Amino acid sequence: DTLSLHDALPILGQILSSTSAPDPNRDLLLALRPLLKQDKQKKIDKAVKMLKLYTIYTTLKEQGMLNKLNDIL
């Protein structure tokens, strides 16, 4: 059972809107970033990416897209 493009577009739209939605944790990290040394800035960048990945994961989970993954594992 594959996902059609027609079904995938709304989900992709939700993912894009969820990653661009205001996030106080991300905003705090990005506000602190210029005040830190370069090595710490890289850690902030990684943390922001992890927050975005978690947001994508949550959106996919809410849409039931990860149910098939559980069946495979």
Side-chain angles (χ1 to χ4, degrees):
D1 196 26
T2 61
L3 185 67
S4 71
L5 182 60
H6 182 269
D7 296 332
L9 286 178
I11 296 168
L12 290 173
Q14 286 180 337
I15 290 171
L16 288 174
S17 67
S18 67
T19 56
S20 62
D23 181 351
N25 294 317
R26 184 184 67 218
D27 294 344
L28 175 62
L29 289 173
L30 292 175
L32 293 172
R33 188 180 184 281
L35 305 173
L36 301 172
K37 294 181 181 179
Q38 189 174 7
D39 62 319
K40 300 290 184 187
Q41 287 181 359
K42 289 180 182 179
K43 290 181 180 184
I44 294 285
D45 294 340
K46 286 182 181 181
V48 169
K49 287 179 185 178
M50 293 298 292
L51 286 170
K52 283 187 178 187
L53 286 173
Y54 181 73
T55 301
I56 292 169
Y57 166 78
T58 304
T59 303
L60 290 174
K61 187 175 179 182
E62 288 172 358
Q63 294 299 318
M65 297 293 296
L66 300 179
N67 293 340
K68 291 183 181 180
L69 182 61
N70 287 334
D71 295 339
I72 293 171
L73 299 176

